[in-house]
Amino acid sequence: MRRLVYFQVSLFILTRTLVNTAIRMVYPFLPVFMSGLNADFTMLSLALTLRAAMGVFAPFFASLSDIKGRTTGMVTGIGVFILGMCLLIPWPTFTAFVGMLILSILGNLIFIPSMQAYLGDRIPFKRLGLVLGLSEVGWSLSFIIGVPLMGLLIARYGWKAPFPILGGMGLLALLMLLAALPKEDTSSAKARGIRDNFRSIFSYPPAIAGIIAGMAMSASNELINVTFGVWMEQAFNVQIAVLAITSAIIGSAELGGELLVSVLSDRIGKQRSTALGLILNTAAALCLPWVGLRLNGAFVGLFLVFITFEFTIVSSIPMMTAMLPSARATLMACFIASLALGRALGAYSAPFLFRTGNASASLPGMVFVCLAAGAMNLVAFSLWRFTKPFSTEGAAAPPF
């Protein structure tokens, strides 16, 4: 049983690497997509805001996993992702690009809570930090491997090149999931329904605190996500190859954060790990404008920002997963939706904050972005102390 679970986790990592590559390559190559689509920074930031705002619908779709089963939720998510990748093949326009952004994020927001609920059903709470930390490795691998490979494709064949490849690989991932995941008996879950799941979540104060805290910490990171590619191009006149290297550095930082969670969160506690991560991420964000006055310093600063953020967000996932076992997928979808709304807030605010910093002759260009990121982390820290697991007994039939 243990071997089967780890095989499935490996498959989840590969699938998440693929999906997150499509989602995250927009950030470092934002100037390239701006040029290819004949769009400016404001247009692209609004498109990213719209993409992030789609997260508000994720709980309604992901509740399918609580009603129809975890496998159905995961397969549906990958199917939506494939549809998004296929849009740009016949219609390489700005409108189709926005459609791709929306469908890819919706697919991801359906897949992730279904996957996390699947693992939460099977892994005892004392081991949940380890397994969920490993499952998050696909997020960092997308920046270590996926985005640099997409950068090579873009440099050689143009900005449209990644999408047919990602769509084809998504279809392969879908077939592998269908072969590897079990068919589930959902007769008991059907009785609850979406309304009951939402009622149980929004009548439980620790869950509400965790959801709002997630939105704040996500907004903090998105402020830096949206601006770092444009900042580095303007400040250091970097090209696509350097932006791809930056992606690999950020991915390495995130991998480090995920591995730290796997090692530490079960030992020092999920709630304490998240609080520690928020403190360290705030310090890293506040230092970034001054550490990043030179290119090597910018690399170091971004590494510290992303390793501490990844440690924070991955530490929070086991806690949220354990809050309401009866509505696990719906709660995780609400949490992920809150992360998406936080990203919408960050994406919408980032251009204004970045331009304000650039207008000052005496301050580094990223200073207002990073100050706002620190303020969002403070909000998250003040709320996170109210979170607690519903039960620490673990899954009904743990494989360990």
Side-chain angles (χ1 to χ4, degrees):
M1 183 66 175
R2 180 186 299 184
R3 187 173 298 175
L4 175 61
V5 170
Y6 279 121
F7 171 76
Q8 291 169 344
V9 170
S10 299
L11 181 55
F12 296 156
I13 290 171
L14 291 174
T15 305
R16 290 205 64 188
T17 301
L18 168 67
V19 175
N20 289 320
T21 295
I23 291 170
R24 306 188 73 195
M25 69 179 180
V26 178
Y27 297 121
F29 304 130
L30 198 61
V32 180
F33 290 119
M34 285 165 55
S35 176
L37 294 164
N38 195 26
D40 60 23
F41 187 24
T42 300
M43 290 174 65
L44 264 295
S45 69
L46 287 174
L48 292 174
T49 301
L50 180 61
R51 178 179 77 171
M54 289 298 104
V56 73
F57 300 108
F60 299 98
F61 290 110
S63 192
L64 174 74
S65 175
D66 283 327
I67 300 170
K68 296 292 186 180
R70 315 309 189 195
T71 299
T72 300
M74 285 185 271
V75 168
T76 301
I78 296 302
V80 173
F81 166 79
I82 294 169
L83 180 60
M85 293 302 102
C86 291
L87 274 182
L88 276 163
I89 297 174
W91 301 297
T93 64
F94 180 75
T95 301
F97 185 82
V98 174
M100 178 277 298
L101 292 177
I102 292 171
L103 289 174
S104 62
I105 199 67
L106 280 179
N108 195 42
L109 292 171
I110 296 169
F111 176 82
I112 291 176
S114 301
M115 178 204 74
Q116 291 169 341
Y118 179 87
L119 294 173
D121 291 342
R122 289 159 172 78
I123 309 299
F125 185 73
K126 65 181 180 180
R127 297 285 188 113
L128 202 52
L130 168 64
V131 177
L132 285 175
L134 291 175
S135 74
E136 290 294 312
V137 167
W139 177 257
S140 57
L141 288 180
S142 67
F143 250 25
I144 297 173
I145 299 173
V147 172
L149 287 176
M150 295 305 106
L152 292 175
L153 283 173
I154 290 170
R156 188 176 180 90
Y157 300 109
W159 70 270
K160 297 176 286 185
F163 300 103
I165 292 174
L166 291 169
M169 294 180 68
L171 180 59
L172 179 61
L174 175 62
L175 296 175
M176 294 174 66
L177 286 169
L178 286 171
L181 296 175
K183 295 181 179 179
E184 298 167 295
D185 179 11
T186 59
S187 56
S188 60
K190 290 178 183 178
R192 282 184 56 85
I194 295 176
R195 185 177 299 178
D196 293 329
N197 290 336
F198 280 115
R199 185 182 296 114
S200 62
I201 290 168
F202 290 103
S203 62
Y204 189 51
I208 297 171
I211 288 169
I212 300 174
M215 182 172 65
M217 65 178 79
S218 178
S220 170
N221 185 249
E222 188 71 356
L223 288 166
I224 296 173
N225 253 337
V226 170
T227 51
F228 83 81
V230 177
W231 166 56
M232 293 189 72
E233 186 191 45
Q234 291 184 3
F236 307 111
N237 194 29
V238 298
Q239 303 301 315
I240 292 177
V242 176
L243 292 174
I245 292 171
T246 305
S247 300
I249 291 171
I250 292 172
S252 300
E254 292 172 339
L255 178 60
E258 290 150 4
L259 295 178
L260 282 173
V261 170
S262 298
V263 172
L264 294 178
S265 68
D266 289 331
R267 297 183 180 182
I268 68 176
K270 284 78 170 175
Q271 188 181 48
R272 189 177 300 171
S273 293
T274 306
L276 175 62
L278 283 167
I279 294 170
L280 295 175
N281 185 247
T282 301
L286 294 178
C287 290
L288 179 61
W290 287 272
V291 173
L293 292 176
R294 295 185 178 181
L295 182 59
N296 289 340
F299 287 149
V300 172
L302 287 171
F303 181 89
L304 293 175
V305 166
F306 281 91
I307 191 173
T308 53
F309 173 75
E310 194 67 8
F311 180 80
T312 303
I313 202 70
V314 177
S315 293
S316 71
I317 291 171
M319 175 72 77
M320 298 300 298
T321 304
M323 280 191 184
L324 285 173
S326 63
R328 184 173 271 132
T330 307
L331 174 57
M332 291 312 299
C334 289
F335 181 63
I336 293 170
S338 76
L339 302 184
L341 288 175
R343 293 199 179 282
L345 175 63
Y348 183 78
S349 306
F352 169 75
L353 292 167
F354 182 72
R355 285 193 295 266
T356 303
N358 270 354
S360 172
S362 59
L363 293 172
M366 288 284 283
V367 65
F368 289 108
V369 171
C370 293
L371 285 173
M376 289 292 98
N377 278 343
L378 180 61
V379 172
F381 184 85
S382 66
L383 289 166
W384 188 252
R385 62 193 182 94
F386 295 107
T387 60
K388 63 179 180 179
F390 183 84
S391 170
T392 59
E393 294 302 316
F400 297 101

